[in-house]
Amino acid sequence: MKKLRYTTRALAAGLALTASSTVMAAVSAEKAAQIGLTGTPLTPLGAIRAGNADGSIPAWEGGIATPPAGYKQGDWYIDPYADDKPLFTIDAKNYQQYADRLMPGTIALLKKYPDTFHLNVYPSRRSAALPQWHYENSVWNASRTRFCDPPPGPDREYRCLDTSTYRPGVAFPIPNNGAEVVYNHTMYFFGKSYVWRGYAFNAFADGTFAETVAIERSLLLQYMTPEEKPKDPLFTGNGGAMWCRSSEMVEPPRQAGSMYGGCNYFTSQDFSAYLYVPGQRRVRKAPEIGFYDSPSTGSDGLRTADSTTMFGMTGDEEWYEYSEPQRKEYFIPYNSYKLAAPENGDFKKLVMRGHLNPDPIRYELHRVWAVEMRLKPKYRHLSPHRVVYFDEDSWAGAAGEMYDAGDQLWRVQEAYLMQFYEVPMLSFWGDNHMDIINGRQSSNNTFFNVGAGRGGSPPDFVNPPDSAYFTPAGLRKYGVR
């Protein structure tokens, strides 16, 4: 495959990298007046409220804030746009006429798999909606939220949030720089808690794959009221836990019973994690979990810890320098209800050579925040150069590109976004991390419908998990012996 380098098609030419030693203040009251609940140029989350010039992206009108008629809590999701038909299909033969709205990673997939990869493009539906309290707090944050001043140390300017200036919502809805964009995404709204039994795959270049199953549990304490937050010291240190996560491997058998739990904090992004190892029957501190390019759990080394949601801030120091963020219009997976339907939950039909079956995947034109990142000289990472794309209506990660040490395009990432209207929030139903060089691919444990015929169910965002799952004592209690 020809060596692919980052081009001006992804971001405007001449992006200047911001000096990560500069901490930007909150925006002025005048600038913050652009954001509001209604009648303002920007939505409460900082997205452009209006549609685009040619009408291919509509105005945001509130999204799907309540479930459609007939939906019941715990059911598989009803597709609100089931009657939509594709507007056109982009493939290896015609992609050049759409090249200004295709990310470099998408173009690379079209070139590498000309006979099997394509994009079915549907009408753009701005379905993203969040709770009213989140909107109100995000508007309040726009002119107030700041990082800690002074920062806790070198390369930690964006690792500590001044909680006296923040309310639960988007911290920087009008971002000053790329670091604030990435921070917004790292902490994007994912409900207050969840529990799910998720399915994933690790695939070889010929399309054969191994399935993994994990039970994922999370508490997003940054969005909880004081009464809802657990009181264990694990959750109250370092300015308070922002989010806590626990993962329990179910399959394959050789990994079954392995379980970890831990938290990230307002004053530190160094994931404080503990691991229960069944073979040793003990709990140990696990600093490698969630740390930059450590292998992501269950990924067979095909995903890095910091690419779980395309990219997220990890570690206590910032290793990357960020470009000035740019709003771009790209075709991305969106409103993936067809992919999430029980009848499409079969990896044997979904996993193809090098990519997923494109037929059940819906692509739409949306505005995204595009941020380019380059590794600081004193650090080392498997991907010293990467680009990430965040949905402007939700701050969820939509896609990403990772480059290797030779600056060759290496991994192409997609997240299959949709509105979880019962929460409400917009996030991903399955994702894929495709190695464009060796043809392998891997997903997170978020294809829930793969378990539809064997007792599986959609994620539970209503009943919080026991907080003990995140503590060392709790891991000992729940660990399989």
Side-chain angles (χ1 to χ4, degrees):
M1 180 178 176
K2 284 183 70 175
K3 186 174 182 179
L4 295 174
R5 293 183 179 273
Y6 188 73
T7 69
T8 54
R9 186 168 295 143
L11 295 175
L15 288 181
L17 293 175
T18 57
S20 63
S21 60
T22 303
V23 178
M24 302 297 291
V27 300
S28 66
E30 181 180 6
K31 195 171 183 179
Q34 299 177 42
I35 193 171
L37 300 177
T38 59
T40 50
L42 302 180
T43 72
L45 270 60
I48 297 173
R49 192 181 297 270
N52 64 353
D54 64 10
S56 53
I57 297 177
W60 183 76
E61 297 179 345
I64 308 177
T66 57
Y71 171 79
K72 295 180 180 179
Q73 184 73 44
D75 285 355
W76 298 104
Y77 290 86
I78 295 172
D79 185 353
Y81 311 119
D83 293 335
D84 286 356
K85 305 299 181 186
L87 300 173
F88 51 88
T89 296
I90 301 174
D91 57 26
K93 296 178 181 178
N94 67 358
Y95 79 88
Q96 291 183 335
Q97 70 186 86
Y98 304 101
D100 60 335
R101 289 175 167 176
L102 293 172
M103 295 166 287
T106 307
I107 293 174
L109 289 169
L110 288 164
K111 289 181 175 180
K112 180 152 182 134
Y113 305 105
D115 298 326
T116 56
F117 185 75
H118 57 264
L119 283 70
N120 292 323
V121 179
Y122 288 77
S124 298
R125 308 285 192 177
R126 295 179 70 177
S127 54
L130 275 71
Q132 185 69 17
W133 58 263
H134 190 287
Y135 289 153
E136 294 171 355
N137 290 344
S138 298
V139 172
W140 187 91
N141 289 340
S143 61
R144 296 174 176 87
T145 301
R146 303 171 184 269
F147 289 109
C148 298
D149 188 13
D155 297 308
R156 296 185 64 191
E157 291 82 4
Y158 305 114
R159 288 296 192 267
C160 177
L161 198 71
D162 182 348
T163 56
S164 70
T165 68
Y166 169 80
R167 291 180 179 176
V170 175
F172 307 102
I174 304 178
N176 291 292
N177 54 41
E180 292 183 356
V181 168
V182 175
Y183 192 92
N184 287 345
H185 161 68
T186 303
M187 307 305 167
Y188 84 100
F189 183 66
F190 212 107
K192 291 186 177 184
S193 69
Y194 62 75
V195 178
W196 69 55
R197 184 183 179 96
Y199 298 77
F201 63 86
N202 295 311
F204 294 95
D206 62 1
T208 59
F209 64 89
E211 182 181 289
T212 68
V213 183
I215 300 172
E216 308 279 355
R217 302 173 176 93
S218 187
L219 295 173
L220 291 98
L221 287 82
Q222 62 180 316
Y223 297 119
M224 292 182 173
T225 65
E227 294 73 26
E228 293 171 324
K229 295 180 181 180
K231 304 302 187 284
D232 187 279
L234 176 77
F235 306 106
T236 58
N238 297 321
M242 297 191 76
W243 56 266
C244 301
R245 186 170 180 234
S246 175
S247 180
E248 176 184 353
M249 293 300 298
V250 178
E251 296 179 18
R254 69 179 184 277
Q255 298 179 21
S258 174
M259 186 188 311
Y260 75 79
C263 299
N264 262 29
Y265 299 88
F266 275 104
T267 61
S268 171
Q269 296 303 309
D270 192 9
F271 187 55
S272 180
Y274 295 86
L275 176 68
Y276 174 76
V277 184
Q280 301 173 0
R281 296 188 176 183
R282 69 183 183 92
V283 174
R284 65 172 178 84
K285 184 74 172 171
E288 73 279 7
I289 293 180
F291 186 78
Y292 282 103
D293 56 359
S294 294
S296 184
T297 305
S299 70
D300 201 21
L302 298 172
R303 289 180 279 111
T304 58
D306 61 5
S307 66
T308 299
T309 58
M310 306 296 104
F311 180 77
M313 286 182 167
T314 60
D316 216 23
E317 295 178 328
E318 182 52 66
W319 287 12
Y320 287 99
E321 291 179 329
Y322 302 96
S323 72
E324 289 295 330
Q326 299 233 342
R327 263 191 250 248
K328 306 289 288 185
E329 295 180 6
Y330 285 125
F331 294 112
I332 60 174
Y334 218 90
N335 291 309
S336 302
Y337 295 101
K338 185 176 181 180
L339 184 65
E343 60 268 24
N344 288 320
D346 185 348
F347 282 148
K348 293 180 181 178
K349 296 178 181 179
L350 279 177
V351 181
M352 300 178 65
R353 185 176 65 88
H355 59 84
L356 291 185
N357 181 351
D359 290 337
I361 300 175
R362 174 180 177 132
Y363 289 85
E364 299 180 7
L365 186 66
H366 283 262
R367 280 187 292 251
V368 298
W369 289 101
V371 179
E372 184 177 13
M373 296 171 281
R374 291 187 181 272
L375 197 67
K376 295 178 181 179
K378 65 179 180 179
Y379 295 109
R380 295 292 178 267
H381 192 287
L382 291 173
S383 181
H385 175 202
R386 57 209 299 176
V387 186
V388 193
Y389 309 91
F390 307 116
D391 171 45
E392 73 160 351
D393 286 331
S394 64
W395 296 100
E401 293 138 5
M402 300 175 68
Y403 293 76
D404 64 17
D407 211 25
Q408 182 177 8
L409 182 58
W410 176 30
R411 291 177 178 173
V412 178
Q413 305 161 284
E414 283 188 331
Y416 306 107
L417 301 177
M418 61 180 254
Q419 177 69 6
F420 293 76
Y421 35 66
E422 81 279 24
V423 179
M425 67 170 195
L426 188 135
S427 192
F428 58 100
W429 185 288
D431 69 351
N432 200 6
H433 302 248
M434 295 158 279
D435 190 318
I436 204 72
I437 297 175
N438 69 20
R440 295 200 65 188
Q441 52 186 322
S442 175
S443 75
N444 279 290
N445 291 90
T446 48
F447 284 94
F448 313 108
N449 53 333
V450 172
R454 33 183 162 155
S457 63
D460 180 356
F461 296 103
V462 176
N463 301 294
D466 184 349
S467 62
Y469 278 104
F470 312 96
T471 69
L475 292 173
R476 293 187 189 95
K477 171 185 174 182
Y478 284 110
V480 176
R481 297 180 182 274

